[in-house]
Amino acid sequence: MATTATVLLINPFRVFEGQEEAFLALWEATGAIFSRSDGYVHARLCRAMSRQPPGQHPPYTHVNIAEWRSLDAYSDALRQPALAPFISRYRAVSTYEPGVYEVIREI
């Protein structure tokens, strides 16, 4: 049973060494644009901890988790012209693999 009607953008990043400050500035700037979009709920940026339990090796340095009211709302937000210049800037400091997910279970 689905627990929520919202969708989650989960975007894992591999931030290049020495580029975290530039990456964080980009995340803040794009977050300001997205946060004014219809259907935006909230976003969180997580950073992999340097100390991990035995056997765990996170493949990404950072993960953005953003909640949207719908896939259409997120898709519409992506079409904002103000976001276009940020794509090349993100590529200069990181690699990323975004995807939209639905929550199907909670414990």
Side-chain angles (χ1 to χ4, degrees):
M1 171 196 309
T3 59
T4 179
T6 60
V7 298
L8 298 176
L9 163 68
I10 300 179
N11 194 356
F13 292 87
R14 288 183 188 94
V15 176
F16 304 145
E17 190 169 332
Q19 296 297 318
E20 186 176 48
E21 289 305 315
F23 170 79
L24 293 174
L26 286 170
W27 190 84
E28 292 287 337
T30 54
I33 296 167
F34 280 125
S35 68
R36 294 188 297 269
S37 302
D38 289 339
Y40 174 86
V41 178
H42 67 90
R44 288 181 168 171
L45 181 64
C46 307
R47 178 175 48 213
M49 296 176 66
S50 59
R51 186 170 154 238
Q52 295 285 325
Q56 294 188 10
H57 309 281
Y60 303 102
T61 59
H62 297 74
V63 177
N64 175 58
I65 304 169
E67 186 173 359
W68 289 84
R69 298 247 180 260
S70 68
L71 176 59
D72 289 340
Y74 172 61
S75 296
D76 289 346
L78 284 175
R79 291 195 266 296
Q80 295 180 74
L83 290 172
F86 290 99
I87 294 170
S88 63
R89 293 180 194 159
Y90 269 110
R91 288 183 180 148
V93 300
S94 67
T95 61
Y96 50 95
E97 302 176 37
V100 179
Y101 296 80
E102 62 183 331
V103 175
I104 60 168
R105 297 282 192 274
E106 285 187 314
I107 297 176

